[in-house]
Amino acid sequence: MMGKQTKALKQHGALVLAFVTWALLGLAAGGNFYDECDATWEPQNCWAYDDGNRLSLALVSNSSGSMIRSKRQFVYGTVSTMIQLVPGDSAGTVTTYYTSSLGDNQDEIDFEFLGNETGQPYTIHTNVYVNGVGNKEMQFKPWFDPTADYHNYTISWTPCMIVWYIDGTPIRVFRNYQASHGVVFPTSQPMHVYSSIWAAEDWATQGGRVKTDWSKAPFVANYHGINLDVCECYDGDCVTGCTAKFSDGDRYCRLSDDQVGQMRLVQDKNRIYNYCVDPKQWTNGQVPVECSLLQF
């Protein structure tokens, strides 16, 4: 198996070396991923090409995947990338695109793509963590083949709300009801944006029933372009300014009527899990407060 993995990765050896060298030295090479990201986990399993405009991340074993992280930290903004997910039998693999602060009590906004057996659809998993606590999952089945071509995945984080988009269509909103109803919301911890691929065969595919076929490794996810329209922030002193920058009510605090209609259609037809209707995710048997409030 390792011989097969090594052969596949050697085809990109020079590009892997170039990306690792630039990433570790913190230098810019004139392309989006070179400019914006560092390789922070198993850098030998990722490679950038097309002048840094494209990137591939590989999972080669159950303990060796890959991760990149943005050089910039920010409080509020919009981050997006184009991803082509692992084709074929991707059971047990997880490809991610998310934002997260540093430390144990992290704030985090997730896109996770859970692989499946050949011919079965991926699961698109979304979640929000505040101070290390999540349990706000929603999951969707894609209405397209995410392995056949690139699709745009966007996270918009403002003081008013978080919105997850796929190809410009909003699929979920999580509004800021912290002041009015005590619902925790990420407001103060600067985040990085991350992309990774890793092994989770104990839970990722049909609750762990379907395991990874490691004879098909390496599993490779491809990325095209990364766009960060964010308010850079590296300590608490800059949070106030970032909040002011992203507080325009019309631009950052509401979806259009058309967008609301698009989101409702996706949720009606493609949402397969909602923590709001799962008592196992409730605290003291109580429906989460935000579930009864407006979420668009």
Side-chain angles (χ1 to χ4, degrees):
M1 182 175 69
M2 288 305 296
K4 180 178 179 181
Q5 295 166 357
T6 301
K7 181 179 178 181
L9 290 172
K10 278 185 176 179
Q11 295 174 356
H12 305 278
L15 295 169
V16 175
L17 180 60
F19 184 83
V20 173
T21 301
W22 285 109
L24 294 180
L25 292 177
L27 301 175
N32 286 339
F33 288 104
Y34 288 138
D35 289 342
E36 293 285 6
C37 300
D38 292 323
T40 57
W41 177 49
E42 302 282 12
Q44 73 277 8
N45 295 336
C46 70
W47 53 92
Y49 48 102
D50 186 23
D51 294 326
N53 291 309
R54 296 177 186 267
L55 174 81
S56 293
L57 301 180
L59 173 64
V60 301
S61 73
N62 60 5
S63 61
S64 184
S66 189
M67 175 185 287
I68 61 169
R69 185 181 75 184
S70 67
K71 297 175 181 178
R72 291 190 276 169
Q73 281 183 280
F74 53 92
V75 172
Y76 305 127
T78 299
V79 298
S80 63
T81 192
M82 304 278 287
I83 308 175
Q84 184 179 31
L85 296 176
V86 176
D89 189 344
S90 57
T93 71
V94 179
T95 304
T96 72
Y97 184 67
Y98 65 103
T99 68
S100 180
S101 62
L102 302 176
D104 294 333
N105 297 317
Q106 86 281 10
D107 291 348
E108 184 173 313
I109 306 167
D110 290 344
F111 260 126
E112 294 186 330
F113 309 96
L114 313 185
N116 214 329
E117 299 172 287
T118 301
Q120 298 300 312
Y122 265 78
T123 296
I124 299 172
H125 179 96
T126 67
N127 201 1
V128 181
Y129 287 80
V130 182
N131 293 322
V133 179
N135 300 325
K136 299 183 185 300
E137 298 94 342
M138 284 189 186
Q139 295 181 338
F140 303 81
K141 292 297 183 188
W143 54 97
F144 51 90
D145 181 355
T147 72
D149 205 345
Y150 289 90
H151 291 270
N152 184 284
Y153 301 93
T154 298
I155 296 169
S156 174
W157 172 37
T158 74
C160 296
M161 62 184 182
I162 299 164
V163 188
W164 293 255
Y165 295 87
I166 299 178
D167 293 332
T169 296
I171 65 169
R172 178 184 178 183
V173 171
F174 186 81
R175 294 198 65 87
N176 185 353
Y177 287 116
Q178 185 162 294
S180 60
H181 293 84
V183 179
V184 292
F185 188 89
T187 58
S188 60
Q189 295 196 71
M191 298 203 209
H192 292 274
V193 61
Y194 295 79
S195 292
S196 67
I197 185 168
W198 53 285
E201 63 180 358
D202 57 330
W203 65 270
T205 303
Q206 299 177 36
R209 184 182 67 82
V210 181
K211 305 300 183 182
T212 305
D213 182 354
W214 291 108
S215 71
K216 293 181 170 60
F219 302 95
V220 178
N222 297 309
Y223 293 73
H224 184 194
I226 183 168
N227 182 39
L228 277 64
D229 179 12
V230 298
C231 185
E232 289 191 61
C233 187
Y234 298 89
D235 57 53
D237 292 340
C238 54
V239 171
T240 299
C242 289
T243 301
K245 181 177 179 180
F246 285 94
S247 292
D248 183 285
D250 290 334
R251 184 175 180 184
Y252 299 118
C253 294
R254 64 180 298 272
L255 299 179
S256 69
D257 291 343
D258 285 345
Q259 288 176 316
V260 172
Q262 292 169 357
M263 183 177 69
R264 285 176 168 167
L265 185 62
V266 169
Q267 292 189 354
D268 287 345
K269 292 189 173 183
N270 297 87
R271 186 169 61 187
I272 59 172
Y273 177 82
N274 180 3
Y275 77 103
C276 286
V277 296
D278 182 1
K280 297 190 298 296
Q281 297 296 327
W282 302 347
T283 301
N284 299 323
Q286 298 296 313
V287 178
V289 173
E290 69 272 16
C291 294
S292 61
L293 301 172
L294 191 67
Q295 289 291 349
F296 55 82

